[in-house]
Amino acid sequence: MSGETNRLLGMAKEIMAQPDGRELDMLASTGEQVSVALLAIALQALGKQAVSYAGWQVPIKTDSAFTKARIRSIDDAKVRKDLNAGKIVMITGFQGVDADGNITTLGRGGSDTSAVAVAAAIKAAECLIYTDVDGVYTTDPRVVSDARRLKTVTFEEMLEMASLGSKVLQIRSVEFAGNYKMPTRVLSSLTDPLTPLAEEAASGTLISFEEDKNMEQATITGIAFSRDEAKITVLGVPDRPGIAYQILGPVADANIEVDMIIQNQSVEGKTDFTFTVPRAEYAKAVEVLNSSVKAHIGAAAINGDTKVSKVSVVGVGMRSHVGIASQMFRTLSEEGVNIQMISTSEIKISVLIDEKYMELAVRALHKAFDLDSAK
Amino acid sequence: MSGETNRLLGMAKEIMAQPDGRELDMLASTGEQVSVALLAIALQALGKQAVSYAGWQVPIKTDSAFTKARIRSIDDAKVRKDLNAGKIVMITGFQGVDADGNITTLGRGGSDTSAVAVAAAIKAAECLIYTDVDGVYTTDPRVVSDARRLKTVTFEEMLEMASLGSKVLQIRSVEFAGNYKMPTRVLSSLTDPLTPLAEEAASGTLISFEEDKNMEQATITGIAFSRDEAKITVLGVPDRPGIAYQILGPVADANIEVDMIIQNQSVEGKTDFTFTVPRAEYAKAVEVLNSSVKAHIGAAAINGDTKVSKVSVVGVGMRSHVGIASQMFRTLSEEGVNIQMISTSEIKISVLIDEKYMELAVRALHKAFDLDSAK
């Protein structure tokens, strides 16, 4: 059934450039309904007891933000009753129902989110998410052939790995797993279907919420990266309170996500303000700045660069180990990679670099932090 | 979107010969949901306010007979609110929801039935059903080129015209219209979309529940026919009480609809019992009779004929006008058509004849009752 939802949405967009969200959700929700019904029938054909549910039948209750709704609550009564009766339960992903009985969809990443949310609602021991990869790696194996699969990652590490470009699980589902402390395992849907369940359930990568890691020791989990970044600099900005908001407010209002932010040291009352946005949003962001910001704040110019990438070292406990940052910077320096911006958090250090050095930087850091050797 | 529901059901039947009804309904209901959402978007693209509803959202409540559910009640609150706000409301046809929140479908004729049921629930002035014909004719225009479109028919006439093979509306929707005295108009979906609504609403054929017809005068509405009939005779049956039930009970249990029934005058305690079934059910009916009836009741033999058709003269008030039957029989006699069986009701006289004479009989009767001349 792959591509069915996109086919339906394509039909709507042929009719109208920006169709009504409520009707889009009415339309898009049918693809998953077809899938769960056919899957239930297929399981019944194998002699299993199986039952399918649309999100509204469970119900999975959401707010009314059509095409990007948020889950509010899930009633586990029907699902629990069926499971107790030995039935296999299929639930449509990425959709629910609002307080007025309208069908809503959760938007991007909604199917993973639905799975985690239902697992949390029924207090499952573990949520297994079958994907097209067999787990979370220390970095992208397409870039570094020595990349190793991680047996476990913490929730925080997974958040960084996911949001920084290792697109294994959508970040929303990871956040959901975090909020509900739902152990979630990423594993491959492409394994031999005859693999014993116990063996399969021990495979993949478990996103864990157990605090039994030795927090004293810095553990580098992996090297994440995001190729499609863009950098924008607002030059010659008067350095006065509220200037960051005056620049970034209109950008946020245009629904553009801002990531790294730097404000230069002020010189003679003027400063430069630099931030990154997803490369696809670059043109729109520059247009917003030129039309509603530049003259208003008296900036000298707007500059930009769309050939930049972000590389991050991710790991719990790294903040208290100053050696991590200096090792990262030394490694990049030895490879001749210039660092354009730096940002840090409790569990990651990110640098913005020229995109042509991205693979080189990832490989060098993966090796420098011994990620290719099994621990 | 034509054929989408059949495509989905075909997918299910590739997986399993007799899929679970609940899952089939889950699957089949999506086709109409796609249609109403796209239609709402198309109307919005034209600048209209439009909103779509799945059956369960209205809700249209049904029993739990999956794939052939019956409507129990319709809540008109949402629809009425939207109409009062000037919105165009689209509702998925042929589906509803049972008391446990399972999606149900109404089976054959369900979309027309849904339309009539919703019209009755909101107390509409008239229910317009757009079809691929422009109304109900005195007989099938493909058989008699002089056939005239009727401006109005009574509910009872429509029932006979529909059930006897003038398949304009599914009989279930006509019954529904009758139960709720919902004036229902059959009209063409193929007219110029720029036709003024007032003009269009006066076209087609109105199924009327007004009693202002002159009941004193026999009015022949039309000549209905059903080509695909089959006749079965159980020969040499002991003529004792309960024999009809012993023959027809097992046939009904096999879900085969019996139409005309004749029991011959008994001779020496034995009689012949003849009835008709849809031709597609003939083989199954004969099998039932041979396996569970023949020996049990001590019948001599089972005979049959699959080359028979039924032709009916339909019209209110004909029973009290003996001239109608005799004119019908004389007309057929003049054309050399032998009558094999006869059945009558308040508003129709039906005869079973050799199928090769069917068109001839329809044309002769249409002319004999002056149906080609406008009244």
Side-chain angles (χ1 to χ4, degrees):
Chain A
M1 299 303 296
S2 172
E4 185 67 12
T5 300
N6 285 339
R7 187 182 71 91
L8 292 170
L9 293 176
M11 289 170 77
K13 282 171 185 171
E14 271 178 42
I15 300 173
M16 194 177 189
Q18 294 210 298
D20 179 45
R22 182 189 179 281
E23 299 303 330
L24 276 182
D25 283 357
M26 189 82 173
L27 184 66
S29 64
T30 61
E32 288 262 336
Q33 190 173 325
V34 166
S35 295
V36 293
L38 287 174
L39 186 55
I41 290 168
L43 287 166
Q44 289 170 357
L46 295 173
K48 309 293 181 189
Q49 280 190 288
V51 61
S52 71
Y53 287 105
W56 64 266
Q57 289 179 306
V58 172
I60 295 175
K61 292 199 175 151
T62 72
D63 59 24
S64 298
F66 296 114
T67 75
K68 48 178 192 286
R70 298 251 155 198
I71 296 174
R72 282 189 171 159
S73 68
I74 296 182
D75 184 341
D76 69 338
K78 280 188 186 176
V79 174
R80 181 166 293 287
K81 191 175 160 202
D82 285 335
L83 291 175
N84 289 344
K87 291 182 187 168
I88 302 168
V89 179
M90 259 76 51
I91 300 173
T92 53
F94 116 105
Q95 62 194 261
V97 62
D98 75 4
D100 296 324
N102 298 305
I103 294 178
T104 55
T105 68
L106 308 185
R108 287 167 64 86
S111 286
D112 290 351
T113 303
S114 301
V116 174
V118 170
I122 64 170
K123 300 181 180 60
E126 210 173 282
C127 175
L128 307 186
I129 301 212
Y130 290 79
T131 70
D132 55 358
V133 295
D134 69 350
V136 180
Y137 278 69
T138 52
T139 194
D140 187 335
R142 286 169 300 185
V143 172
V144 180
S145 58
D146 287 339
R148 270 186 319 109
R149 179 166 59 78
L150 296 159
K151 282 184 181 159
T152 62
V153 289
T154 67
F155 159 64
E156 293 82 3
E157 288 165 343
M158 186 64 202
L159 264 190
E160 295 295 346
M161 296 298 276
S163 65
L164 293 174
S166 303
K167 294 264 170 53
V168 177
L169 283 184
Q170 293 280 353
I171 190 163
R172 254 178 96 179
S173 64
V174 178
E175 287 169 358
F176 223 98
N179 290 343
Y180 290 92
K181 299 216 181 306
M182 182 70 233
T184 299
R185 187 180 296 273
V186 175
L187 64 178
S188 172
S189 59
L190 306 171
T191 50
D192 183 345
L194 295 178
T195 306
L197 189 59
E199 188 180 314
E200 187 161 82
S203 71
T205 298
L206 179 65
I207 305 170
S208 160
F209 298 91
E210 294 182 14
E211 302 288 358
D212 61 0
K213 275 204 171 185
N214 183 353
M215 297 293 283
E216 291 301 308
Q217 194 177 343
T219 315
I220 304 304
T221 306
I223 312 298
F225 57 86
S226 168
R227 189 185 309 268
D228 299 325
E229 301 287 322
K231 180 174 73 169
I232 297 174
T233 302
V234 185
L235 293 159
V237 179
D239 188 8
R240 60 171 183 246
I243 198 72
Y245 175 72
Q246 284 178 300
I247 292 172
L248 296 180
V251 175
D253 289 347
N255 221 4
I256 298 167
E257 213 174 297
V258 170
D259 181 15
M260 303 170 93
I261 304 169
I262 290 177
Q263 186 172 343
N264 281 4
Q265 187 62 37
S266 175
V267 176
E268 293 174 4
K270 296 270 182 181
T271 186
D272 302 331
F273 194 92
T274 304
F275 59 94
T276 64
V277 296
R279 200 174 291 172
E281 306 282 8
Y282 173 77
K284 193 168 144 200
V286 169
E287 188 196 313
V288 167
L289 293 170
N290 277 322
S291 65
S292 14
V293 175
K294 192 180 162 193
H296 182 61
I297 64 168
I302 311 286
N303 275 354
D305 184 353
T306 58
K307 301 204 163 164
V308 289
S309 296
K310 183 168 67 167
V311 174
S312 307
V313 174
V314 176
V316 167
M318 59 162 51
R319 173 75 84 136
S320 54
H321 291 258
V322 288
I324 306 282
S326 64
Q327 169 139 21
M328 181 181 190
F329 301 153
R330 187 176 69 230
T331 302
L332 294 175
S333 162
E334 282 167 5
E335 299 291 341
V337 177
N338 186 41
I339 298 171
Q340 302 182 17
M341 293 174 82
I342 299 171
S343 81
T344 61
S345 77
E346 288 295 331
I347 63 159
K348 74 156 202 282
I349 305 169
S350 300
V351 296
L352 195 74
I353 61 176
D354 188 325
E355 75 166 356
K356 72 182 174 191
Y357 294 124
M358 195 199 76
E359 284 87 352
L360 171 64
V362 170
R363 275 193 295 266
L365 291 169
H366 196 265
K367 192 167 166 55
F369 287 103
D370 275 338
L371 290 171
D372 46 352
S373 55
K375 284 169 190 174
Chain B
M1 299 304 297
S2 172
E4 185 66 11
T5 300
N6 285 339
R7 186 182 72 91
L8 291 172
L9 294 176
M11 288 169 78
K13 281 170 186 171
E14 270 178 42
I15 299 173
M16 196 176 186
Q18 294 209 301
D20 179 45
R22 183 190 179 281
E23 300 302 331
L24 276 182
D25 284 357
M26 189 84 175
L27 184 66
S29 63
T30 61
E32 290 262 335
Q33 190 173 325
V34 167
S35 295
V36 292
L38 287 175
L39 186 54
I41 291 168
L43 287 166
Q44 289 170 357
L46 295 172
K48 309 292 181 190
Q49 280 190 288
V51 60
S52 71
Y53 287 106
W56 64 266
Q57 289 179 306
V58 173
I60 295 175
K61 291 199 176 153
T62 73
D63 60 22
S64 298
F66 295 115
T67 76
K68 48 178 192 287
R70 298 252 154 197
I71 295 174
R72 283 189 170 158
S73 69
I74 296 182
D75 184 341
D76 69 337
K78 281 188 186 175
V79 174
R80 181 165 294 286
K81 191 175 161 204
D82 285 334
L83 291 176
N84 288 345
K87 292 181 187 167
I88 302 169
V89 179
M90 259 77 52
I91 300 173
T92 53
F94 116 105
Q95 62 195 262
V97 61
D98 75 3
D100 296 323
N102 298 305
I103 293 177
T104 54
T105 69
L106 308 184
R108 288 166 64 86
S111 287
D112 290 350
T113 303
S114 301
V116 174
V118 170
I122 64 169
K123 300 180 179 61
E126 210 173 281
C127 175
L128 307 185
I129 301 215
Y130 290 79
T131 71
D132 55 358
V133 296
D134 69 349
V136 180
Y137 278 70
T138 51
T139 194
D140 188 336
R142 286 169 299 186
V143 172
V144 180
S145 58
D146 288 339
R148 269 186 319 108
R149 180 166 58 79
L150 296 159
K151 282 184 182 160
T152 62
V153 290
T154 68
F155 159 64
E156 294 81 3
E157 289 166 341
M158 186 63 201
L159 263 190
E160 295 294 347
M161 296 297 276
S163 65
L164 292 173
S166 303
K167 293 262 171 56
V168 176
L169 282 184
Q170 292 280 354
I171 190 163
R172 251 177 99 178
S173 63
V174 179
E175 287 170 357
F176 222 98
N179 290 343
Y180 290 92
K181 298 213 182 308
M182 182 70 235
T184 299
R185 187 179 295 275
V186 175
L187 63 178
S188 172
S189 59
L190 306 171
T191 50
D192 183 345
L194 295 178
T195 307
L197 189 59
E199 188 181 313
E200 186 161 83
S203 70
T205 298
L206 179 66
I207 305 169
S208 161
F209 298 91
E210 294 182 15
E211 303 288 357
D212 62 359
K213 274 204 171 184
N214 183 352
M215 297 294 283
E216 292 300 310
Q217 194 177 342
T219 316
I220 304 304
T221 306
I223 313 298
F225 57 86
S226 168
R227 190 186 306 270
D228 299 325
E229 300 288 322
K231 180 175 72 168
I232 297 174
T233 302
V234 185
L235 294 159
V237 179
D239 188 8
R240 61 173 184 247
I243 199 72
Y245 175 72
Q246 284 178 300
I247 293 172
L248 296 180
V251 175
D253 289 347
N255 222 4
I256 298 167
E257 214 175 297
V258 170
D259 181 16
M260 304 171 90
I261 303 169
I262 292 178
Q263 186 172 341
N264 280 3
Q265 189 62 37
S266 175
V267 176
E268 293 175 4
K270 297 270 182 180
T271 185
D272 302 331
F273 194 92
T274 303
F275 59 95
T276 64
V277 296
R279 201 175 290 172
E281 307 281 8
Y282 173 76
K284 192 168 146 198
V286 169
E287 188 196 313
V288 166
L289 293 170
N290 278 321
S291 64
S292 14
V293 175
K294 191 181 163 191
H296 183 60
I297 63 168
I302 312 286
N303 274 354
D305 185 353
T306 58
K307 301 202 163 168
V308 289
S309 297
K310 184 168 67 168
V311 174
S312 307
V313 174
V314 176
V316 167
M318 59 161 53
R319 173 76 82 136
S320 54
H321 291 257
V322 288
I324 305 282
S326 64
Q327 168 138 21
M328 180 180 189
F329 301 153
R330 187 176 68 234
T331 303
L332 294 175
S333 162
E334 283 168 5
E335 299 291 342
V337 177
N338 186 41
I339 298 171
Q340 302 182 18
M341 294 174 81
I342 299 171
S343 82
T344 61
S345 78
E346 287 296 330
I347 64 161
K348 76 158 202 284
I349 305 168
S350 300
V351 296
L352 195 74
I353 61 175
D354 188 325
E355 75 165 356
K356 72 183 175 190
Y357 295 123
M358 195 198 77
E359 285 86 352
L360 170 64
V362 171
R363 276 192 295 264
L365 291 169
H366 196 265
K367 192 167 167 56
F369 287 104
D370 275 338
L371 290 171
D372 47 352
S373 55
K375 285 168 194 175

